[in-house]
Amino acid sequence: MRGHKIAQLDPLGLSSVDLDAERPEDLTPKFYNFNESDLDRKFILPPITFIGGQEKELSLREIIRRLEDVYCQTIGLEYMYINSYEKCNWIRQRFEDPEQKKLGIKDIERAVKRLIRASKFEDYLKKKWSSEKRFGLEGCEVLIPAMKMVIDTAAGKGVDTIIMGMPHRGRLNVLANVTRKPLEELFCQFDPKLEPSDVSGTGDVKYHLGTCIERLNRASNTMVKFALVANPSHLEAVDPVVQGKTRAEQFYRGDKAGDKAMSILLHGDAAFAGQGVVYETFHLSDLPAYTTHGTIHIICNNQIGFTTDPRMARSSPYCTDVARVVNAPIFHVNADDVASVLHVAKVAAEWRCTFKKDVVIDLVCYRRQGHNETDEPMFTQPFMYKKIHKQTPVLKKWVDQLISEGTIKQDWYEAEEAKYQKILDDAFANSKSPAYAKDKNWLDSPWKGFFTGKGPFPYPKTGVSEETIKTIGVKAHELPEGFALHRGLKRVFENRAKMLQEREVDWALGESMAIGSVLLDGHHVRISGQDVERGTFSHRHHVLHDQDKDLVFHVPMNYLSPTQGHYTICNSSLSEFACLGFELGYSTTNPNSLVIWEAQFGDFANTAQCIIDQFISSGQAKWVRQSGICLLLPHGYEGQGPEHSSARLERFLQMADEDEDQVTEIKETKHLHHNDLAMYQLDDVNWIIAHLTTPANYFHILRRQLALPFRKPLIMMSPKSLLRLPECRSSFDEMTTGTTFKRIYQEEGAASQNASDVKKIIFCSGKTYYDLYKERANNKLDTEIAIVRIEQLCPFPFDEIRKELEKYNNAKVCFAQEEHKNMGPYTYCKPRLACLLRSMNDARAGEINTCYAGREAAAATATGIKSSHYLEQKTYMQQAMAF
């Protein structure tokens, strides 16, 4: 229980305990009322210990010696808090039984070869590119044989897919010596003359890149697929992404217990203790819809965070203490004791494969260089680095020991060293070929067979037959016999049945039609987020709970057809960062699934901003990785205050990589209609941003996500009050065969009949349309004001809007929104409208700079004072109607 407190874990000796002078009182015989004469008394060993081997009794002196050998040397164990006798005993046996730790000669030779590769790879990079940042592994080279031991052990137990995430330290070494990525591909990343021949975005620095490789694992003689997921400099951000990708891999393979696919996460000590997403990710580990059946966490604990001492970086004794929240065993080990590291790695892999629970390996090591290779660590850690400069590298230390013991021969070691040196030299020579400089070589989630042909591809028709709509409408509300439905839901279902009879849908029904039809097409659909099963606004009800039985629930959408895809809808942990990261990882595994994350309110999405900024908006540009993930972000000003009004639409629009000064128009040809060519505009942007006004368009845009021949993230401002607005309904005719998504809704009222007489054309998006429509009717301005709804904001529908501007050529141009002037879509649409008018040589080009209807600029997204809300609403409606 407490032996780890005096274990000799630090290879530098900075935090080691003098066993004679500093031994904690509760680890002395005196504390338990034993005196010197008791040390030679013999005691019968209880069945809960394994230190005796075949012996049944030992002297107290020998018991203490053996316990210290197990718990107080170079391995420190924390596991006695696990509330399972079986699991504690399992760990105890693997560390207390002296036979368990012995390594065979083949294991030793294999580990030496791996340590040679790990060490000499760093030496080679240092020699060839001395001034290049590479965030090397020097001081923790044993990480490579440790990871390989984990993989060997897991592969021997049937695991054939390993999905890994890690920060930048040691990434190049892991790529080279764990995944065995061709060294030529790594070395050409150091040559600025070798630009990728297939570059399609910005690319990224080499120590952020990922890969996917399948190769033979010689220890188990089985094929193993390795995926190292690309990661930004946000050290732990990749953790939930890896978990989502692993969960998806398990789902698509029917690997319900995680026997075939598993994850390994590497961490730094400062980030593991300091980054909240680590806790959020641990918190998902046992949730039914998120578990990956155990992750092996390996911490490269170099006892420093950039320049910050651990005593200033965390409040807990160990950097690993966060793992105790899920009762994960923690194995601390001195990284300079290779044999102990290998034993810990083997036990950790066995634990995961046996119990399907998380486990943590804390490799206590050091960082030989500064934070990067050009950094001077002596400025801030002079005492530590004086020790490090004198420290013998682990390879030399261990090899010298093995040679002196006669375990290996000097000439064998030198031959292995020379063999790897030749591999490095040959790879360096070959790396000058442009054939190795390809972006696609670094793709961590390849989709075999998905990208077929080069087009042109027709714009997808996303309508379905009326029979399909009716079938979904009926099946989605059927109940098992004897199921006690809440009486309030009976009314909801009756209202839905009435709508179906009238051949129309509201927002919730439109969503059900989209999801149901995708399922009937054979695709998997997964929706997750806080309270998504019912829906934040009590509108969805896709999981029905029996009112008379606890934990008895029914998901009607999984009973549409025997051949349908599987529907997963799951309430998430109260987390945005980890949960969105998880779904992003899930979405990258299979392009033929619809993966949706819904925020409880769009306002809360900003706690997942790192995933949005670093992965979703820029993932394809940096890492050639596409994703079709859909974000539903409830957005709308309804007097609910500054944290329940805005999903910060302006931020998503600002991150769109579309040039506001360049009109990207679509010209028809004799082969293709402009709607067909509109798809190329979709392919040109980093993501799709929509603010819709009808259930039919919602239906189409969800179906379009899977109908496109490529994948783009979809960011949707989803409604709140529109969920129950009687006017916000769509006819079956807008969703049936031959129909498709509308990028804009034209004016269809009286104003469209006499376009030349229209005095004002208002562009808007989202809920505000219904407010404007009502205000226009109240003011009897139906013939004087035209209202055009921009449904798809990004990519901006220049061609469709040009037609409206040409049609209403005498009308003043105005943009209306309910958001404040420095927020919402105005600042995005304003320059694009002006650019389009200039390209038309239209005199109205200057008007858009002044014709704005909406709330004034503000710091907070919305007022929390109801009277102010109504006054603002009234004021901007008056602005919109004014000429």
Side-chain angles (χ1 to χ4, degrees), residues 758-778:
V758 170
K759 297 178 181 178
K760 191 172 192 177
I761 178 172
I762 299 175
F763 291 97
C764 66
S765 67
K767 176 183 80 74
T768 196
Y769 163 73
Y770 292 96
D771 298 328
L772 291 165
Y773 183 89
K774 183 178 179 181
E775 188 72 16
R776 181 179 65 176
N778 291 341

mmCIF file of all heavy atoms in Angstrom, residues 758-778:
data_model
loop_
_atom_site.group_PDB
_atom_site.id
_atom_site.type_symbol
_atom_site.label_atom_id
_atom_site.label_comp_id
_atom_site.label_asym_id
_atom_site.label_seq_id
_atom_site.Cartn_x
_atom_site.Cartn_y
_atom_site.Cartn_z
ATOM 1 N N VAL A 758 -40.136 46.625 -55.947
ATOM 2 C CA VAL A 758 -39.684 46.349 -54.577
ATOM 3 C C VAL A 758 -38.658 47.392 -54.165
ATOM 4 O O VAL A 758 -37.686 47.662 -54.884
ATOM 5 C CB VAL A 758 -39.113 44.920 -54.464
ATOM 6 C CG1 VAL A 758 -38.429 44.718 -53.119
ATOM 7 C CG2 VAL A 758 -40.219 43.896 -54.664
ATOM 8 N N LYS A 759 -38.863 47.987 -52.990
ATOM 9 C CA LYS A 759 -37.983 49.055 -52.515
ATOM 10 C C LYS A 759 -36.805 48.553 -51.690
ATOM 11 O O LYS A 759 -35.787 49.248 -51.566
ATOM 12 C CB LYS A 759 -38.801 50.045 -51.673
ATOM 13 C CG LYS A 759 -39.901 50.755 -52.440
ATOM 14 C CD LYS A 759 -40.692 51.673 -51.535
ATOM 15 C CE LYS A 759 -41.815 52.378 -52.286
ATOM 16 N NZ LYS A 759 -42.616 53.241 -51.383
ATOM 17 N N LYS A 760 -36.963 47.371 -51.113
ATOM 18 C CA LYS A 760 -35.912 46.891 -50.214
ATOM 19 C C LYS A 760 -35.835 45.371 -50.290
ATOM 20 O O LYS A 760 -36.866 44.686 -50.284
ATOM 21 C CB LYS A 760 -36.221 47.329 -48.770
ATOM 22 C CG LYS A 760 -35.080 47.132 -47.782
ATOM 23 C CD LYS A 760 -35.455 47.785 -46.439
ATOM 24 C CE LYS A 760 -34.259 47.873 -45.507
ATOM 25 N NZ LYS A 760 -34.601 48.567 -44.242
ATOM 26 N N ILE A 761 -34.628 44.864 -50.375
ATOM 27 C CA ILE A 761 -34.417 43.422 -50.314
ATOM 28 C C ILE A 761 -33.606 43.130 -49.047
ATOM 29 O O ILE A 761 -32.524 43.691 -48.840
ATOM 30 C CB ILE A 761 -33.718 42.852 -51.573
ATOM 31 C CG1 ILE A 761 -33.483 41.341 -51.415
ATOM 32 C CG2 ILE A 761 -32.428 43.586 -51.891
ATOM 33 C CD1 ILE A 761 -32.981 40.661 -52.673
ATOM 34 N N ILE A 762 -34.170 42.315 -48.179
ATOM 35 C CA ILE A 762 -33.517 41.975 -46.915
ATOM 36 C C ILE A 762 -32.953 40.560 -47.006
ATOM 37 O O ILE A 762 -33.694 39.616 -47.322
ATOM 38 C CB ILE A 762 -34.507 42.056 -45.736
ATOM 39 C CG1 ILE A 762 -35.060 43.466 -45.589
ATOM 40 C CG2 ILE A 762 -33.835 41.614 -44.439
ATOM 41 C CD1 ILE A 762 -36.140 43.580 -44.509
ATOM 42 N N PHE A 763 -31.672 40.428 -46.747
ATOM 43 C CA PHE A 763 -31.054 39.107 -46.628
ATOM 44 C C PHE A 763 -30.957 38.761 -45.138
ATOM 45 O O PHE A 763 -30.620 39.613 -44.300
ATOM 46 C CB PHE A 763 -29.663 39.111 -47.261
ATOM 47 C CG PHE A 763 -29.681 39.246 -48.753
ATOM 48 C CD1 PHE A 763 -29.508 40.486 -49.358
ATOM 49 C CD2 PHE A 763 -29.888 38.139 -49.550
ATOM 50 C CE1 PHE A 763 -29.539 40.616 -50.736
ATOM 51 C CE2 PHE A 763 -29.917 38.253 -50.940
ATOM 52 C CZ PHE A 763 -29.735 39.489 -51.535
ATOM 53 N N CYS A 764 -31.249 37.525 -44.818
ATOM 54 C CA CYS A 764 -31.178 37.085 -43.424
ATOM 55 C C CYS A 764 -30.936 35.588 -43.387
ATOM 56 O O CYS A 764 -30.882 34.927 -44.440
ATOM 57 C CB CYS A 764 -32.474 37.427 -42.687
ATOM 58 S SG CYS A 764 -33.910 36.505 -43.307
ATOM 59 N N SER A 765 -30.827 35.044 -42.187
ATOM 60 C CA SER A 765 -30.715 33.591 -42.032
ATOM 61 C C SER A 765 -31.306 33.197 -40.686
ATOM 62 O O SER A 765 -31.321 33.989 -39.738
ATOM 63 C CB SER A 765 -29.247 33.132 -42.131
ATOM 64 O OG SER A 765 -28.496 33.610 -41.038
ATOM 65 N N GLY A 766 -31.818 31.979 -40.619
ATOM 66 C CA GLY A 766 -32.295 31.455 -39.348
ATOM 67 C C GLY A 766 -33.613 32.038 -38.880
ATOM 68 O O GLY A 766 -34.415 32.574 -39.653
ATOM 69 N N LYS A 767 -33.824 31.939 -37.569
ATOM 70 C CA LYS A 767 -35.097 32.260 -36.919
ATOM 71 C C LYS A 767 -35.594 33.672 -37.230
ATOM 72 O O LYS A 767 -36.804 33.910 -37.298
ATOM 73 C CB LYS A 767 -34.953 32.086 -35.402
ATOM 74 C CG LYS A 767 -36.187 32.491 -34.610
ATOM 75 C CD LYS A 767 -35.956 32.361 -33.123
ATOM 76 C CE LYS A 767 -35.199 33.525 -32.542
ATOM 77 N NZ LYS A 767 -36.017 34.759 -32.433
ATOM 78 N N THR A 768 -34.686 34.602 -37.414
ATOM 79 C CA THR A 768 -35.103 36.001 -37.602
ATOM 80 C C THR A 768 -36.011 36.172 -38.813
ATOM 81 O O THR A 768 -36.774 37.133 -38.901
ATOM 82 C CB THR A 768 -33.875 36.930 -37.702
ATOM 83 O OG1 THR A 768 -34.289 38.274 -37.518
ATOM 84 C CG2 THR A 768 -33.173 36.796 -39.042
ATOM 85 N N TYR A 769 -35.946 35.219 -39.752
ATOM 86 C CA TYR A 769 -36.836 35.290 -40.925
ATOM 87 C C TYR A 769 -38.294 35.336 -40.502
ATOM 88 O O TYR A 769 -39.081 36.131 -41.036
ATOM 89 C CB TYR A 769 -36.598 34.093 -41.850
ATOM 90 C CG TYR A 769 -37.731 33.900 -42.826
ATOM 91 C CD1 TYR A 769 -37.906 34.756 -43.902
ATOM 92 C CD2 TYR A 769 -38.671 32.872 -42.653
ATOM 93 C CE1 TYR A 769 -38.973 34.603 -44.786
ATOM 94 C CE2 TYR A 769 -39.736 32.708 -43.519
ATOM 95 C CZ TYR A 769 -39.882 33.575 -44.586
ATOM 96 O OH TYR A 769 -40.944 33.443 -45.440
ATOM 97 N N TYR A 770 -38.665 34.497 -39.559
ATOM 98 C CA TYR A 770 -40.074 34.436 -39.152
ATOM 99 C C TYR A 770 -40.506 35.730 -38.450
ATOM 100 O O TYR A 770 -41.655 36.173 -38.589
ATOM 101 C CB TYR A 770 -40.310 33.221 -38.253
ATOM 102 C CG TYR A 770 -40.166 31.919 -39.012
ATOM 103 C CD1 TYR A 770 -38.973 31.214 -39.006
ATOM 104 C CD2 TYR A 770 -41.228 31.420 -39.761
ATOM 105 C CE1 TYR A 770 -38.835 30.037 -39.723
ATOM 106 C CE2 TYR A 770 -41.109 30.241 -40.483
ATOM 107 C CZ TYR A 770 -39.900 29.550 -40.469
ATOM 108 O OH TYR A 770 -39.768 28.385 -41.195
ATOM 109 N N ASP A 771 -39.580 36.343 -37.722
ATOM 110 C CA ASP A 771 -39.878 37.637 -37.089
ATOM 111 C C ASP A 771 -40.065 38.714 -38.154
ATOM 112 O O ASP A 771 -40.981 39.546 -38.071
ATOM 113 C CB ASP A 771 -38.750 38.025 -36.135
ATOM 114 C CG ASP A 771 -38.576 37.033 -34.995
ATOM 115 O OD1 ASP A 771 -39.599 36.450 -34.572
ATOM 116 O OD2 ASP A 771 -37.442 36.830 -34.538
ATOM 117 N N LEU A 772 -39.182 38.698 -39.157
ATOM 118 C CA LEU A 772 -39.265 39.683 -40.232
ATOM 119 C C LEU A 772 -40.540 39.501 -41.054
ATOM 120 O O LEU A 772 -41.208 40.475 -41.433
ATOM 121 C CB LEU A 772 -38.039 39.564 -41.148
ATOM 122 C CG LEU A 772 -36.700 39.991 -40.544
ATOM 123 C CD1 LEU A 772 -35.542 39.496 -41.403
ATOM 124 C CD2 LEU A 772 -36.629 41.508 -40.388
ATOM 125 N N TYR A 773 -40.852 38.259 -41.318
ATOM 126 C CA TYR A 773 -42.046 37.942 -42.108
ATOM 127 C C TYR A 773 -43.302 38.467 -41.416
ATOM 128 O O TYR A 773 -44.176 39.094 -42.040
ATOM 129 C CB TYR A 773 -42.122 36.421 -42.293
ATOM 130 C CG TYR A 773 -43.270 35.956 -43.152
ATOM 131 C CD1 TYR A 773 -43.133 35.833 -44.532
ATOM 132 C CD2 TYR A 773 -44.498 35.625 -42.579
ATOM 133 C CE1 TYR A 773 -44.187 35.406 -45.328
ATOM 134 C CE2 TYR A 773 -45.563 35.194 -43.367
ATOM 135 C CZ TYR A 773 -45.404 35.081 -44.738
ATOM 136 O OH TYR A 773 -46.452 34.648 -45.516
ATOM 137 N N LYS A 774 -43.385 38.242 -40.110
ATOM 138 C CA LYS A 774 -44.536 38.695 -39.329
ATOM 139 C C LYS A 774 -44.592 40.214 -39.278
ATOM 140 O O LYS A 774 -45.668 40.833 -39.436
ATOM 141 C CB LYS A 774 -44.455 38.110 -37.919
ATOM 142 C CG LYS A 774 -45.636 38.439 -37.035
ATOM 143 C CD LYS A 774 -45.481 37.773 -35.666
ATOM 144 C CE LYS A 774 -46.642 38.118 -34.752
ATOM 145 N NZ LYS A 774 -46.480 37.488 -33.406
ATOM 146 N N GLU A 775 -43.437 40.846 -39.074
ATOM 147 C CA GLU A 775 -43.384 42.315 -38.980
ATOM 148 C C GLU A 775 -43.769 42.954 -40.313
ATOM 149 O O GLU A 775 -44.487 43.964 -40.352
ATOM 150 C CB GLU A 775 -41.986 42.757 -38.572
ATOM 151 C CG GLU A 775 -41.846 44.232 -38.251
ATOM 152 C CD GLU A 775 -42.516 44.620 -36.931
ATOM 153 O OE1 GLU A 775 -42.833 43.716 -36.123
ATOM 154 O OE2 GLU A 775 -42.711 45.832 -36.704
ATOM 155 N N ARG A 776 -43.308 42.350 -41.412
ATOM 156 C CA ARG A 776 -43.651 42.875 -42.739
ATOM 157 C C ARG A 776 -45.164 42.799 -42.969
ATOM 158 O O ARG A 776 -45.774 43.755 -43.480
ATOM 159 C CB ARG A 776 -42.914 42.085 -43.825
ATOM 160 C CG ARG A 776 -43.184 42.577 -45.233
ATOM 161 C CD ARG A 776 -42.439 41.793 -46.280
ATOM 162 N NE ARG A 776 -42.876 40.394 -46.349
ATOM 163 C CZ ARG A 776 -42.438 39.512 -47.243
ATOM 164 N NH1 ARG A 776 -41.506 39.880 -48.131
ATOM 165 N NH2 ARG A 776 -42.879 38.279 -47.249
ATOM 166 N N ALA A 777 -45.779 41.690 -42.565
ATOM 167 C CA ALA A 777 -47.223 41.536 -42.726
ATOM 168 C C ALA A 777 -47.974 42.554 -41.870
ATOM 169 O O ALA A 777 -48.959 43.174 -42.314
ATOM 170 C CB ALA A 777 -47.640 40.122 -42.366
ATOM 171 N N ASN A 778 -47.502 42.753 -40.646
ATOM 172 C CA ASN A 778 -48.158 43.717 -39.747
ATOM 173 C C ASN A 778 -48.103 45.139 -40.294
ATOM 174 O O ASN A 778 -49.001 45.949 -40.049
ATOM 175 C CB ASN A 778 -47.517 43.671 -38.354
ATOM 176 C CG ASN A 778 -47.822 42.377 -37.618
ATOM 177 O OD1 ASN A 778 -48.765 41.673 -37.968
ATOM 178 N ND2 ASN A 778 -47.020 42.060 -36.612
#
